């Protein structure tokens, strides 16, 4: 019965591109692996990694010389490394991170068949490679899970106590909950994220489209509520399941998150800061108690007694002179700041525009990726 149920669940969840969008060959001059159908990059390593389930998965590792952190990206359904390749390179560049992406067993040129347990072994193999081959420490890793990728991401995150952070992109509460509004977790369900996210100790950023017609936005919102260490979520207005990268706020919010994580020496400090921003309204600018009217009046009278008054004309002239100087100084400062802000905004806009244009040409997901085989569309 268990095997039959697992087989049924797999048909609901996994849709590897057929045929794969890329091949893997050995470069004669260097003996290194490279992907066909994509442009070779000097800062990208192509790897084949053995898993404890006996399969061999294909992975890419994108290096960024300015990186402090490393993202381990688990992609969504109906996508493989060939389709995700340019996105990985662009994310590494814009976020200033090293990035490893991998294909699940049975996806792309990875061997074996896709299953829940195989994906857990797949992400473990990728994580082990980061530690053993690239010397990445657990506290410098951010796990990123998109759609079905939220399953292996949260499974691993729930078992790593010093992980730096987690990003969940259009995540699912569980496989069964995508199809049916069940109120409890059944033993035969897959990717029980709803039960695993309370075990995650690091900050969690959730990104979900409000118009997602594959995985309802309520999945992301409930996972946010269940997170221990909440970071300000991003609910993308009108965003669907497979187009969030096209919205400018996607990359802006991610950059803000990465920056906050980088600046913190402890992930708990980041989480505390984010919780304060979410849960507490901004305090009044002036928090100091004001002196009573009587006290202020006494202070004014005392000052007047101690200091002889200058003539009204002299004070007016002095004040006018100071005002002119201050206005002139502020005008120069504001002009400089305006120029700086304009240059920074222009750079950011061009960077985001390039990212959006690149993403429009990519096919990242089959919109029917969670519909059962044979279902009417």
């Amino acid at each position: 019965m268990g095997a039959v149920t697992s087989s049924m669940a797999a048909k609901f969840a996994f849709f590897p591109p057929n045929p794969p969008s890329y091949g893997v060959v050995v470069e004669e001059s260097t003996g290194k692996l490279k992907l066909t159908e994509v442009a070779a990059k000097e800062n990208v390593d192509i790897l084949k990694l053995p898993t404890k389930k006996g399969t061999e998965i294909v992975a890419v590792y994108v290096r960024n010389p300015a990186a402090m952190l490393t993202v381990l990206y688990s992609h969504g359904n109906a996508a493989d490394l060939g389709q995700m390749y340019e996105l990985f390179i662009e994310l590494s560049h814009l976020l200033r991170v090293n990035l490893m992406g991998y294909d699940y067993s049975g996806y792309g040129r990875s061997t074996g068949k896709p299953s829940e347990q195989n994906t857990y072994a797949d992400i473990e193999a990728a994580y082990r490679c980061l530690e053993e081959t690239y010397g990445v420490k657990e506290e410098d890793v951010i796990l990123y899970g998109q759609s079905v990728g939220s399953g292996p991401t949260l499974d691993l995150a729930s078992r790593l106590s010093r992980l730096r952070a987690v990003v969940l992109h259009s995540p699912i509460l569980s496989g069964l909950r995508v199809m049916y509004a069940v109120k409890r977790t059944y033993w035969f369900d897959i990717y029980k994220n709803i039960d695993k996210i309370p075990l995650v100790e690091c900050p969690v950023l959730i990104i979900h489209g409000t118009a997602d017609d594959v995985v309802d936005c309520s999945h992301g919102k409930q996972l946010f509520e269940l997170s221990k260490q909440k970071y300000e979520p991003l609910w993308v207005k009108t965003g669907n399941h497979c187009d969030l990268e096209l919205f400018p706020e996607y990359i802006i919010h991610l950059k803000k998150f990465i920056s906050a994580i980088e600046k913190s020496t402890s992930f708990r400090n980041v989480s505390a800061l984010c919780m304060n921003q979410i849960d507490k309204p901004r305090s009044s600018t002036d928090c100091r108690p004001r002196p009573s009217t009587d006290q202020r009046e006494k202070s004014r009278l005392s000052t007047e007694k101690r200091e002889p008054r200058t003539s009204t004309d002299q004070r007016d002239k002095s004040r006018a002179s100071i005002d002119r100087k201050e206005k002139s100084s502020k005008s120069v400062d504001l002009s400089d700041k305006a120029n700086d802000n304009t240059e920074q905004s222009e750079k950011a806009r061009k960077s985001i525009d390039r990212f959006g244009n690149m993403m429009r040409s990519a096919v990242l997901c089959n919109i029917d990726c969670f519909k059962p085989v044979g279902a009417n569309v």
Side-chain angles (χ1 to χ4, degrees), residues 22-94:
Y22 68 95
V24 181
V25 297
V26 178
E27 196 171 29
E28 293 183 3
S29 59
T30 62
K32 294 181 179 180
L33 296 176
K34 71 173 185 178
L35 301 185
T36 63
E37 312 305 325
V38 299
K41 304 284 185 180
E42 290 185 1
N43 65 322
V44 178
D45 295 341
I46 309 302
L47 309 156
K48 286 188 176 180
L49 309 175
T51 76
K52 66 181 183 182
K53 290 289 187 177
T55 65
E56 187 177 61
I57 61 171
V58 181
V60 299
Y61 179 76
V62 186
R63 295 183 302 278
N64 186 317
M68 296 174 60
L69 302 172
T70 299
V71 171
L72 177 52
Y73 195 116
S74 300
H75 62 68
N77 244 332
D80 62 21
L81 288 182
Q83 295 167 326
M84 301 298 294
Y85 184 79
E86 291 296 335
L87 172 64
F88 289 164
I89 291 172
E90 195 71 9
L91 284 177
S92 173
H93 170 67
L94 291 176

Side-chain angles (χ1 to χ4, degrees), residues 303-328:
T303 303
E304 288 177 354
K305 288 179 182 178
R306 286 198 305 268
E307 297 179 1
R309 290 190 175 185
T310 58
S311 71
T312 303
D313 291 344
Q314 289 175 331
R315 280 184 292 151
D316 289 345
K317 289 178 181 178
S318 176
R319 186 179 296 115
S321 176
I322 292 170
D323 287 345
R324 282 196 300 271
K325 291 179 181 179
E326 288 181 347
K327 286 180 180 177
S328 176

Side-chain angles (χ1 to χ4, degrees), residues 66-70 95-97 142 164 255-266 270:
M68 296 174 60
L69 302 172
T70 299
L95 302 178
R96 293 193 309 175
V97 296
I142 298 173
R164 194 62 167 265
K255 290 177 76 171
K256 177 183 172 184
F257 176 66
I258 297 295
S259 178
I261 297 296
E262 283 180 342
K263 291 176 182 176
S264 175
T265 55
S266 166
V270 175

Side-chain angles (χ1 to χ4, degrees), residues 320-339:
S321 176
I322 292 170
D323 287 345
R324 282 196 300 271
K325 291 179 181 179
E326 288 181 347
K327 286 180 180 177
S328 176
S329 175
K330 287 179 180 177
S331 177
V332 174
D333 290 345
L334 290 172
S335 177
D336 291 342
K337 288 179 180 178
N339 289 337

